[in-house]
Amino acid sequence: MSTEFPLDKTRNIGIAAHIDAGKTTVTERILYYTGKVHRMGEVHEGSAVMDWMEQEKERGITITSAATTCLWKSHRINIIDTPGHVDFTVEVERSLRVLDGVVAIFCAVGGVEPQSETVWRQADKYRVPRLAFVNKMDRVGSDFGNVVGRIRKRLGANAVPIQLPVGSGELFNGIIDLIKLKAVFYDEESLGADYYEDEIPRDLLQASKDAREALLAALADYDESIMHHVVEGGEVSEEAIRSALRLAVNQAALVPVLCGSAFRNKGVQLLLDAIISYLPNPADLPAVIGTNPFTRKEEKRDPTVKDPFTALVFKVITDPYVGRLHYLRVYSGSLALGKSVINAANRKKERFTRILRMHANKREDIKEIFTGDIVAVVGLKHSGTGDSLCDVKHPLQLEMMHFPEPVIAVAIEPKTKADETKLADALRRLSEEDPTFLVKVDKDTGQTLISGMGELHLEILVDRMLREFRVQANIGKPQVAYKETITKSCRAEGKFIKQSGGRGQYGHVIIEMSPDPGGGFSFENRIIGGAVPKQYIPYVEEGIIDSMVSGPVNGSQVIDVHVALVDGSFHEIDSSDLAFRIAGGMAFSNGMRKAGPVLLEPVMDIEVVLPQEYIGDVMNDINMRRGKVEGMTSRSDAQVISARAPLSDMFGYATVLRSLTQGRAVYSMQFSHYDRVPEELVTEKQGRLWGLA
């Protein structure tokens, strides 16, 4: 029988960072030192516990966020190890939505890299408290002070070191604890399990005292004794520093910075101590707020088992052994196996047939769940990502999760007739798992198009179709997900009149359209005097939204348009919801043709890390791809080019870059914004054929 774990001794944390900063290695060391595993897994050997998918082992990257639970000093830590590749940013987004704290990993050489910024912005959105861990201090070119400076400058974070490294690169052999003013050294033979405190090396003593004073100055607002010390001198207790630090971190006002080398087994235990000392427990958090689906009134749930059961589904996966698994974060209350819950979004009842505590892809059955738990459940038939599961008598819809739009698509078709049904089933199940994976049928060609966040994203999904669902399919070349918008304001009319013997149909609207760059779609009702009755106005908006699916330039989705309903007319008998919906769509379609429609393409932020001697060739290549170099910075071991370029010109870039630099450069790319396609290229981009390989 599962028992409630004390909330003040529970931590729900995520490990997040740019690709190859060492997230999974840090997690593997945490599992080893907490006794969860008895052998350290290594990413490069394909033996990492948290990278359990075949695709992860082959590529040495994290693709799906894996959850696990471990114990450290009588505290239970629920950990989610998230991917670092931008194509799988949805995994980070939905994990951050349910986590109470994040450990952001930074490479001591690379510093703040593009995906580090993306993760940081996502954490800012949800106001998640953070610790920063500067990893890979053993690498040549590592620079702790430089990384701290970049965190402050590029991320705008109030980053304050609570540790300093003893040496760097091959000379890195210990860590200075600024709170105790002691040095910590590790025993190599015990794989870092044994460590001891010693005096700070003389040459680092003054720098350590200065860094401690900077830490105290940053904490002065949170503790009177520290404020007194800063103003008048005197001693400050370790307990006062830890208490003030915890308060500042919980308010997301300060980010403590730690250091180490997970691969060399240094610094991980001190990181675990910091997690339980400074990151919040579920009871530290404010009550969650949601909407009662029946009364439409706002309600709240406190993080306690006394409040009604409320949980959020943040992830759905297909497990080959138990079927569909729904991952939940429990915000309030408790629930025993076999009890019913209600899905607040669709008001359907659900029942858990199994409750599982996950350790990567391994499972432990439990009988009851409580506030603060992160678990997986089996048996849900009507629930998906972002749905709220609640006590049947006290439903509450929590804030929905929002995901980015896909930017790339390919055509897919089954190789044989026998694969048709299997392909449809595989696509349905994969799209249920991943909100950024969309499936649609092109109305002009009849082809099935799958859309995702990047080439790697779609490559992994197609590989899973083959391995997990045994589906053989032909895949087309990647195509960009274009959008359309307007460049000038206009007035347009839509009139739908139909007489068919009995009651007819009558809907008549006049709208004004104007460009709204970056604003998405907005609708405004300016009807005065009842020219269009109130009950029909929502249907006019629905008709407009229906028409936005396909624009006149390329048949692409329309974005960034403001529409105002200004006039119209109705018929006492013949007017209906449907008539005004059709009239709204007609008005929008008519207006699009008059408002200077243009084609938009996704533009990507690119960062290339390369040796000095290849800069000229790489910059020339970026310019040839309609790219624009935004800037260049130096690192101790390389140069970094920041640029922007259209996605359509970046396909196959990895191969070209490898050729230009003899395999010595790496790059990362993530979506920036949509921009107008140059007029001379529009005809070329309008090709609607999706050639199959």
Side-chain angles (χ1 to χ4, degrees):
M1 187 74 171
S2 175
T3 55
E4 183 185 2
F5 203 89
L7 274 187
D8 64 337
K9 293 187 179 295
T10 298
R11 300 290 183 274
N12 292 317
I13 67 152
I15 310 285
H18 186 83
I19 191 169
D20 204 33
K23 298 175 303 301
T24 301
T25 304
V26 169
T27 311
E28 294 294 323
R29 298 307 186 264
I30 287 174
L31 297 180
Y32 178 76
Y33 295 130
T34 57
K36 191 72 181 182
V37 298
H38 302 292
R39 179 183 177 276
M40 293 182 189
E42 302 293 359
V43 174
H44 62 276
E45 294 174 358
S47 59
V49 173
M50 302 301 277
D51 285 351
W52 55 270
M53 290 173 67
E54 288 302 319
Q55 293 88 344
E56 293 176 317
K57 292 177 181 178
E58 289 169 2
R59 291 168 171 81
I61 62 171
T62 302
I63 291 169
T64 182
S65 52
T68 190
T69 300
C70 58
L71 294 173
W72 181 254
K73 296 185 177 178
S74 302
H75 287 70
R76 184 172 75 191
I77 305 175
N78 296 318
I79 302 172
I80 296 181
D81 175 29
T82 64
H85 199 287
V86 68
D87 282 18
F88 310 106
T89 189
V90 64
E91 293 287 334
V92 185
E93 180 83 21
R94 57 185 171 189
S95 298
L96 287 172
R97 172 70 174 80
V98 299
L99 291 170
D100 304 335
V102 168
V103 177
I105 312 287
F106 297 91
C107 172
V109 180
V112 178
E113 297 170 283
Q115 187 62 2
S116 312
E117 293 188 64
T118 303
V119 169
W120 204 268
R121 285 196 300 269
Q122 289 169 314
D124 280 341
K125 182 165 76 174
Y126 296 116
R127 287 190 58 78
V128 183
R130 274 147 276 179
L131 300 177
F133 182 74
V134 180
N135 192 26
K136 302 191 178 185
M137 283 302 307
D138 60 307
R139 275 188 55 188
V140 175
S142 60
D143 188 335
F144 179 76
N146 181 51
V147 177
V148 174
R150 287 192 182 191
I151 293 172
R152 290 171 179 161
K153 187 174 180 180
R154 286 186 66 171
L155 304 179
N158 183 17
V160 181
I162 61 171
Q163 296 177 353
L164 291 179
V166 179
S168 63
E170 292 181 359
L171 300 178
F172 173 67
N173 67 342
I175 293 164
I176 296 168
D177 183 336
L178 295 177
I179 297 174
K180 292 183 176 182
L181 265 185
K182 292 284 185 181
V184 177
F185 298 98
Y186 290 82
D187 175 37
E188 300 282 352
E189 291 185 13
S190 69
L191 296 176
D194 297 328
Y195 56 97
Y196 60 93
E197 287 185 358
D198 205 345
E199 294 303 314
I200 296 172
R202 188 174 299 173
D203 59 324
L204 295 174
L205 187 57
Q206 189 57 49
S208 301
K209 288 180 177 178
D210 292 344
R212 190 176 195 267
E213 288 302 314
L215 169 62
L216 294 176
L219 294 175
D221 289 340
Y222 301 93
D223 187 281
E224 282 190 20
S225 64
I226 297 177
M227 175 67 80
H228 187 271
H229 166 86
V230 171
V231 175
E232 299 181 16
E235 290 300 311
V236 180
S237 69
E238 288 180 25
E239 193 51 48
I241 297 174
R242 295 187 197 284
S243 174
L245 199 50
R246 179 178 177 78
L247 185 61
V249 171
N250 279 218
Q251 293 177 8
L254 184 146
V255 179
V257 187
L258 301 88
C259 61
S261 168
F263 185 63
R264 300 295 177 195
N265 312 311
K266 293 180 174 69
V268 177
Q269 295 97 324
L270 298 183
L271 174 61
L272 279 164
D273 289 342
I275 287 169
I276 61 177
S277 295
Y278 309 126
L279 289 180
N281 64 61
D284 290 328
L285 303 173
V288 292
I289 296 172
T291 305
N292 185 311
F294 296 106
T295 65
R296 308 311 302 168
K297 290 183 178 177
E298 200 173 83
E299 296 179 12
K300 68 176 185 175
R301 298 283 184 269
D302 290 312
T304 166
V305 291
K306 294 177 182 177
D307 269 28
F309 178 79
T310 309
L312 183 74
V313 178
F314 68 93
K315 180 172 176 170
V316 182
I317 68 166
T318 301
D319 187 286
Y321 302 105
V322 298
R324 288 177 80 210
L325 279 177
H326 290 70
Y327 281 77
L328 306 180
R329 161 67 196 265
V330 183
Y331 285 99
S332 65
S334 63
L335 192 79
L337 185 63
K339 294 276 188 181
S340 291
V341 293
I342 189 170
N343 182 326
N346 57 30
R347 305 181 190 182
K348 291 185 177 179
K349 284 191 178 181
E350 298 270 32
R351 191 186 298 270
F352 306 159
T353 56
R354 288 176 74 185
I355 303 175
L356 306 168
R357 197 175 299 288
M358 301 299 292
H359 177 49
N361 63 332
K362 295 181 174 61
R363 299 163 291 276
E364 171 198 346
D365 278 275
I366 56 178
K367 301 295 183 186
E368 193 170 5
I369 48 177
F370 301 91
T371 303
D373 280 347
I374 291 179
V375 296
V377 299
V378 181
L380 301 185
K381 294 182 172 64
H382 311 292
S383 301
T385 301
D387 286 347
S388 302
L389 300 177
C390 318
D391 182 286
V392 174
K393 295 180 181 176
H394 303 89
L396 188 72
Q397 176 63 57
L398 301 177
E399 181 188 352
M400 294 295 287
M401 300 165 75
H402 302 286
F403 302 108
E405 289 272 327
V407 296
I408 185 173
V410 297
I412 186 169
E413 67 179 19
K415 279 192 174 177
T416 67
K417 269 285 185 194
D419 284 314
E420 272 187 21
T421 306
K422 287 199 291 184
L423 176 63
D425 182 56
L427 293 175
R428 178 183 59 79
R429 288 162 73 177
L430 288 171
S431 61
E432 285 173 353
E433 286 186 26
D434 187 345
T436 59
F437 175 60
L438 301 183
V439 182
K440 72 172 185 176
V441 176
D442 189 289
K443 65 181 182 182
D444 295 334
T445 65
Q447 287 179 306
T448 301
L449 307 177
I450 56 175
S451 306
M453 299 305 297
E455 289 180 274
L456 180 62
H457 185 203
L458 293 180
E459 180 189 323
I460 296 293
L461 289 165
V462 170
D463 191 41
R464 287 186 60 196
M465 274 185 242
L466 178 64
R467 296 193 195 199
E468 295 175 29
F469 300 99
R470 302 282 187 261
V471 176
Q472 298 286 339
N474 293 321
I475 308 297
K477 291 181 180 179
Q479 301 287 333
V480 171
Y482 291 100
K483 307 283 187 190
E484 296 181 29
T485 192
I486 58 175
T487 55
K488 56 187 180 184
S489 300
C490 77
R491 192 177 178 97
E493 184 177 29
K495 187 178 285 189
F496 179 65
I497 303 174
K498 188 176 181 182
Q499 295 295 334
S500 54
R503 179 180 171 180
Q505 295 281 3
Y506 185 95
H508 173 220
V509 298
I510 297 173
I511 61 172
E512 289 181 356
M513 299 166 54
S514 56
D516 186 13
F521 166 69
S522 54
F523 178 80
E524 180 186 359
N525 173 24
R526 286 198 215 145
I527 292 293
I528 299 171
V532 177
K534 280 185 180 178
Q535 69 266 30
Y536 297 134
I537 289 172
Y539 296 98
V540 175
E541 183 178 0
E542 285 181 18
I544 291 168
I545 292 170
D546 290 343
S547 277
M548 292 181 71
V549 171
S550 179
V553 181
N554 195 44
S556 301
Q557 183 186 356
V558 179
I559 60 170
D560 297 347
V561 177
H562 175 74
V563 179
L565 175 60
V566 295
D567 203 356
S569 61
F570 71 101
H571 190 281
E572 290 283 358
I573 298 171
D574 290 348
S575 286
S576 66
D577 301 345
L578 177 63
F580 274 97
R581 184 169 185 156
I582 294 172
M586 291 170 66
F588 186 80
S589 295
N590 294 336
M592 277 298 296
R593 285 189 283 271
K594 296 195 293 184
V598 292
L599 196 62
L600 302 175
E601 62 183 343
V603 176
M604 312 301 283
D605 280 329
I606 305 151
E607 187 168 284
V608 186
V609 182
L610 73 168
Q612 172 78 34
E613 60 263 36
Y614 301 111
I615 285 178
D617 290 341
V618 171
M619 288 177 70
N620 285 338
D621 183 68
I622 289 172
N623 290 331
M624 287 170 61
R625 295 170 184 273
R626 295 193 290 134
K628 182 181 178 184
V629 175
E630 302 276 304
M632 197 164 67
T633 54
S634 296
R635 276 187 0 196
S636 55
D637 62 334
Q639 299 293 317
V640 182
I641 297 174
S642 300
R644 281 184 174 166
L647 175 60
S648 60
D649 289 78
M650 293 303 295
F651 291 135
Y653 185 61
T655 305
V656 174
L657 185 65
R658 201 177 300 126
S659 172
L660 286 173
T661 63
Q662 299 179 0
R664 295 174 63 193
V666 294
Y667 84 103
S668 59
M669 184 168 70
Q670 61 187 8
F671 173 73
S672 170
H673 64 284
Y674 271 91
D675 205 353
R676 185 171 173 176
V677 178
E679 200 64 43
E680 64 271 16
L681 294 176
V682 170
T683 307
E684 178 189 332
K685 302 297 180 190
Q686 281 178 317
R688 302 281 289 145
L689 296 175
W690 302 75
L692 286 164

